[in-house]
């Protein structure tokens, strides 16, 4: 998944495979998902995992692996965080865990961005503020945003 062909192949498999394959693919990648999420190419596989998650249980597994690395992801790979937020809204769960991790990561994200870390991923601080704003608008509940399963 860290090569262009392998990464794209896994993305296609995830999008075309039946939901029952999600667990098999996740099991094969378990323990590597955070490292993949930070990689230039492999992060798209992680985004596909989030997009293709069909159960809150699947999303919970992803969040457990990715939330510890959220400051770095917000600073360098905000697309991964965005896909997690979309999955939370779609599945109606995990939003509170993600919002809590984003809120805790904001000071670290600012330090990473201002301390000379890679700026290739864009403005993760703006994404964090946007997601937190959506979460605040949506109130309490598992998903993100008003009317999104929360």
């Amino acid at each position: 998944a860290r090569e262009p062909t392998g990464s794209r192949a896994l993305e296609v498999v995830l999008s075309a495979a039946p939901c029952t394959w999600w667990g098999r693919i996740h099991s094969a990648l378990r323990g590597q998902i955070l490292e993949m999420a930070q990689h230039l190419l492999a992060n798209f596989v992680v985004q596909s995992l989030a997009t293709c998650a069909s159960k809150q249980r699947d999303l919970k597994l992803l969040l457990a692996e990715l939330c510890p690395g959220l400051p770095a992801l917000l600073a360098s790979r905000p697309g991964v965080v965005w896909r997690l937020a979309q999955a939370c809204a779609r599945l109606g769960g995990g939003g509170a865990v993600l919002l809590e991790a984003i809120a805790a990561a904001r000071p670290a994200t600012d330090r990473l961005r201002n301390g000379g870390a890679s700026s290739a991923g864009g403005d993760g601080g703006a994404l964090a503020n946007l997601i937190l704003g959506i979460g605040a608008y949506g109130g309490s509940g598992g998903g993100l945003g008003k009317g999104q399963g929360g």
Side-chain angles (χ1 to χ4, degrees), residues 64-118:
E65 279 198 64
L66 294 172
C67 282
L70 218 60
L73 291 176
L74 281 166
S76 65
R77 302 284 176 245
V80 173
V81 181
W82 184 250
R83 293 294 182 194
L84 287 170
Q86 287 178 323
C88 289
R90 180 174 43 84
L91 297 173
V97 171
L98 183 61
L99 288 172
E100 187 175 307
I102 289 171
R106 279 180 32 190
T109 302
D110 292 341
R111 281 193 305 276
L112 282 172
R113 197 173 55 240
N114 295 332
S118 171

Side-chain angles (χ1 to χ4, degrees), residues 25-59:
I25 295 169
H26 176 265
S27 292
L29 301 175
R30 183 176 287 142
Q32 304 173 60
I33 292 177
L34 179 57
E35 181 183 338
M36 290 174 64
Q38 296 169 335
H39 189 270
L40 177 66
L41 300 172
N43 82 86
F44 294 105
V45 173
V46 177
Q47 289 185 44
S48 290
L49 272 172
T51 299
C52 296
S54 62
K55 300 175 188 149
Q56 287 185 15
R57 178 182 55 87
D58 299 340
L59 181 57

